């Protein structure tokens, strides 16, 4: 059985990752809510002593994959976006942050998710590979492509020229 | 094996992320000294990582909204307040409803409220079947109208967890239920949810065909008169309903499809439930 307090302790990290991945507060919290509901529904499947965080992130990833599959039917809840009032602070670092937010959302999700798991969760490549059920090589090449693309967007080069995994001497 | 002499793009990222074996550090650092362009690029990648953390770490400090706080303990607790809690969870902090869902939910509440008043006025009369308070087909049709168009969350537990779904619903409504298999007629189980009936929880199973047409099977255990009925048909607005009573169970199959097609599905459901 999943321990309530252990679960509660993971929620902020799930929210942080979901917010970064989806770029929208209410959509992110909806995803976290779905994750927690599914975690409880499947709590008998969780083996005590195993990595609760990895299990929860796995559930969230699978739910997100389901969402994207269903995305052929566009659904925009009425209130969605109504409270997304852009706020620009005066400090330049805040401006850069907002730029980063916008730039991040221009990356393909398959690259963004890996960059975020590595940057926010400090996950190892092999943990990311396990979580996303991908070969480690795929994780690394997507990470490299995502980082380079983000760098170019931030540098004002919106083109899609991307450094591919390559051998440099 | 000869030692690796080539530096790959992956080695550079692994260096940035602290994943490169210590033995390779010196080689990579030597490479970066000779390739200042790549060194700059790696510094930018490292800066990206720091910036992403700085941008999103504040989320960690945000207070949990109520809908998430509620989920720090298992939903649908088995308590005397279970039904009320289920209802609160559904109507209260639940997510955005479309306007028509609000209206349909209001109709449901009004129907229950009106029925309660009627019931109280007749308290000297013999206790009627509770299922008669709000007629079964109406309960089922309203529940169908509320949930079947819900794209985001048509069910509480999805059909891919059928065993858990059936176990959970059986436990909560206090009787063994099962989800008929309608794949042969083109309808696959989407999942199910628990709903408030007149006096006890009821179960709703939802099915969908390849075109997205949905039908719901409403299972109530509130029939106290222990009688059986043949198939009956009712029309509640646009929703067609076939319903029947079998012992304490009341079943209602609802959809906005034609009477003939719905009748065929209802026969299949009836046959399967009879055989259990």
């Amino acid at each position: 059985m999943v321990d309530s307090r252990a679960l509660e302790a993971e929620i902020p990290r799930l929210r942080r990752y979901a917010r970064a991945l989806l770029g929208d507060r209410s959509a992110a919290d909806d995803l976290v809510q779905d994750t927690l509901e599914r975690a409880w529904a499947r709590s008998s499947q969780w083996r005590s002593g195993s990595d609760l965080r990895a299990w929860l992130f796995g559930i969230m990833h699978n739910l997100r994959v389901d969402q994207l599959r269903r995305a052929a039917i566009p659904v925009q809840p009425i209130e969605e976006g109504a409270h997304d009032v852009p706020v620009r602070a005066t400090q330049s670092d805040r401006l850069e942050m907002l730029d980063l937010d916008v730039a991040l959302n221009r990356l393909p999700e398959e690259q963004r998710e890996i960059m975020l798991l590595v940057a926010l969760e400090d996950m190892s490549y092999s943990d990311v590979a396990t979580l996303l059920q991908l070969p480690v090589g795929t994780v690394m090449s997507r990470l490299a492509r995502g980082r380079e693309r983000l760098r170019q967007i931030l540098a004002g080069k919106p083109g899609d020229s991307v450094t591919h995994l390559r051998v440099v001497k | 094996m000869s030692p690796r002499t080539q530096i790959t793009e992956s080695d550079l990222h692994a260096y940035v992320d602290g994943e490169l074996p210590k033995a390779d550090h010196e080689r990579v650092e030597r490479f970066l000294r000779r390739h200042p362009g790549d060194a700059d690029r790696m510094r930018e990648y490292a800066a990206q990582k720091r910036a992403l953390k700085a941008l999103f770490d504040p989320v960690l400090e945000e207070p949990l909204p109520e809908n998430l706080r509620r989920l720090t303990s298992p939903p649908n607790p088995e308590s005397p307040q279970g039904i009320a809690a289920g209802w609160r969870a559904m109507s209260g902090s639940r997510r955005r409803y479309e306007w028509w869902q609000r209206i349909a939910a209001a109709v449901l509440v009004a129907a229950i409220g009106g029925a309660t008043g009627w019931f109280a006025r007749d308290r000297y009369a013999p206790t009627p079947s509770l299922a008669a308070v709000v007629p079964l087909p109406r309960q089922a049709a309203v529940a169908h109208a509320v949930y079947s168009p819900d794209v985001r969350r048509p069910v509480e537990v999805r059909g891919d967890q059928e065993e858990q779904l059936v176990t959970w619903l059986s436990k909560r409504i206090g009787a063994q239920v099962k989800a008929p298999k309608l794949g042969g007629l083109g309808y696959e189980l989407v999942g199910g949810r628990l709903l408030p009936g007149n006096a006890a929880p009821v179960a709703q199973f939802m099915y969908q065909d390849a075109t997205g047409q949905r039908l719901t099977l409403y299972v109530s255990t509130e029939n106290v008169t222990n009688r059986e009925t043949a198939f009956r048909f009712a029309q509640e607005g646009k929703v067609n309903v076939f319903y029947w009573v079998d012992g304490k169970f009341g079943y209602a199959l609802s959809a906005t499809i034609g009477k003939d097609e719905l009748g065929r599905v209802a026969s299949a459901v009836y046959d399967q439930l009879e055989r259990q």
Side-chain angles (χ1 to χ4, degrees), chain A residues 39-74:
Chain A
W40 283 119
R42 295 184 172 180
S43 65
S44 60
Q45 294 173 18
W46 184 70
R47 284 172 294 108
S48 181
S50 62
D51 188 340
L52 180 63
R53 182 176 303 158
W55 186 66
L56 291 169
F57 271 85
I59 290 173
M60 183 141 83
H61 171 69
N62 290 336
L63 284 166
R64 181 63 185 153
V65 169
D66 289 349
Q67 275 183 358
L68 292 173
R69 270 195 204 123
R70 283 198 308 266
I73 314 160

Side-chain angles (χ1 to χ4, degrees), chain B residues 152-170:
Chain B
R152 167 144 178 85
R153 182 173 295 270
V155 294
E156 280 182 290
V157 179
R158 289 183 9 175
D160 55 9
Q161 308 157 47
E162 185 175 337
E163 196 184 314
Q164 283 175 311
L165 170 68
V166 167
T167 306
W168 170 61
L169 288 175
S170 297

Side-chain angles (χ1 to χ4, degrees), chain A residues 29-41:
Chain A
D29 279 350
D30 278 354
L31 181 60
V32 174
Q33 179 175 350
D34 290 352
T35 302
L36 297 174
E37 282 170 355
R38 182 169 287 192
W40 283 119

Side-chain angles (χ1 to χ4, degrees), chain B residues 107-122:
Chain B
V107 168
L108 181 62
V109 171
I112 291 169
T116 309
W118 172 85
F119 185 70
R121 204 176 58 230
D122 272 45

Side-chain angles (χ1 to χ4, degrees), chain B residues 28-273:
Chain B
V28 167
E29 283 164 3
R30 199 164 50 233
F31 171 87
L32 290 173
R33 278 196 297 277
R34 284 189 286 120
H35 297 83
D38 286 315
D40 284 346
R41 202 158 53 85
M42 293 307 132
R43 270 192 289 275
E44 284 188 58
Y45 293 162
Q48 281 178 13
K49 275 184 85 168
R50 287 193 300 273
L52 286 170
K53 267 188 87 69
L55 179 59
F56 293 108
D57 275 356
V59 178
L60 295 174
E61 307 304 323
E62 290 180 17
L64 288 189
E66 178 51 33
N67 61 328
L68 298 184
R69 177 159 303 285
R70 188 166 51 79
L71 283 163
T72 55
S73 53
N76 295 311
E78 297 294 334
S79 68
Q81 290 81 36
I83 297 165
W87 177 241
R88 258 201 321 278
M90 227 170 49
S91 61
S93 65
R94 211 53 195 172
R95 58 197 73 234
R96 304 167 283 275
Y97 282 107
E98 304 287 346
W99 63 268
W100 56 265
Q101 286 177 298
R102 293 179 199 279
I103 291 171
V107 168
L108 181 62
V109 171
I112 291 169
T116 309
W118 172 85
F119 185 70
R121 204 176 58 230
D122 272 45
R123 64 185 176 278
Y124 298 115
T127 307
S129 159
L130 282 176
V133 174
V134 176
L136 176 64
R138 179 157 311 141
Q139 290 176 47
V142 171
H144 180 85
V146 172
Y147 293 107
S148 66
D150 197 322
V151 175
R152 167 144 178 85
R153 182 173 295 270
V155 294
E156 280 182 290
V157 179
R158 289 183 9 175
D160 55 9
Q161 308 157 47
E162 185 175 337
E163 196 184 314
Q164 283 175 311
L165 170 68
V166 167
T167 306
W168 170 61
L169 288 175
S170 297
K171 189 173 169 193
R172 292 305 311 279
I173 74 172
Q176 186 61 47
V177 291
K178 92 175 200 187
K181 300 205 183 313
L182 303 176
L185 293 161
Y187 290 91
E188 298 298 339
L189 182 66
V190 178
R193 61 166 68 239
L194 191 70
L195 295 170
N198 285 319
V202 297
Q204 184 193 52
F205 292 105
M206 189 176 298
Y207 295 82
Q208 179 172 299
D209 75 1
T211 67
Q213 178 67 53
R214 284 174 172 169
L215 51 86
T216 55
L217 176 65
Y218 189 88
V219 184
S220 146
T221 56
E222 297 182 310
N223 179 47
V224 294
T225 55
N226 205 24
R227 66 206 155 91
E228 299 201 1
T229 68
F231 267 7
R232 290 183 179 168
F233 177 73
Q235 210 169 2
E236 301 280 346
K238 288 181 183 168
V239 182
N240 285 339
V241 186
F242 272 100
Y243 64 103
W244 65 97
V245 170
D246 183 3
K248 67 176 176 178
F249 288 102
Y251 298 100
L253 188 72
S254 311
T256 53
I257 57 176
K259 185 177 173 180
D260 291 348
E261 188 187 345
L262 186 62
R264 272 194 296 279
V265 182
S267 302
V269 171
Y270 181 83
D271 288 346
Q272 287 189 36
L273 294 173

Side-chain angles (χ1 to χ4, degrees), chain A residues 20-169:
Chain A
L21 186 70
L22 303 183
D24 174 278
R25 185 194 175 110
S26 65
D29 279 350
D30 278 354
L31 181 60
V32 174
Q33 179 175 350
D34 290 352
T35 302
L36 297 174
E37 282 170 355
R38 182 169 287 192
W40 283 119
R42 295 184 172 180
S43 65
S44 60
Q45 294 173 18
W46 184 70
R47 284 172 294 108
S48 181
S50 62
D51 188 340
L52 180 63
R53 182 176 303 158
W55 186 66
L56 291 169
F57 271 85
I59 290 173
M60 183 141 83
H61 171 69
N62 290 336
L63 284 166
R64 181 63 185 153
V65 169
D66 289 349
Q67 275 183 358
L68 292 173
R69 270 195 204 123
R70 283 198 308 266
I73 314 160
V75 192
Q76 187 75 1
I78 291 169
E79 289 102 319
E80 198 96 319
H83 44 257
D84 288 344
V85 181
V87 178
R88 287 236 154 190
T90 48
Q91 304 97 313
S92 68
D93 62 335
R94 181 73 187 141
L95 284 176
E96 280 165 19
M97 291 289 195
L98 289 169
D99 288 345
L100 177 61
D101 200 1
V102 170
L104 187 65
N105 272 292
R106 287 174 53 192
L107 297 181
E109 186 156 328
E110 63 174 33
Q111 294 169 14
R112 191 163 66 236
E113 62 183 351
I114 292 169
M115 290 178 65
L116 293 171
L117 289 170
V118 170
L120 301 180
E121 287 301 319
D122 277 323
M123 270 193 204
S124 69
Y125 298 161
S126 68
D127 284 350
V128 173
T130 305
L131 176 68
L132 303 181
Q133 295 171 298
L134 292 170
V136 173
T138 305
V139 168
M140 294 173 81
S141 63
R142 287 184 186 174
L143 177 68
R145 282 205 300 272
R147 281 178 169 164
E148 179 57 16
R149 192 154 178 172
L150 185 63
R151 189 177 76 93
Q152 294 192 359
I153 293 170
L154 289 172
K157 288 181 273 182
D160 284 335
S161 71
V162 159
T163 307
H164 288 285
L165 198 65
R166 63 198 168 121
V167 175
V168 289
K169 184 69 182 75

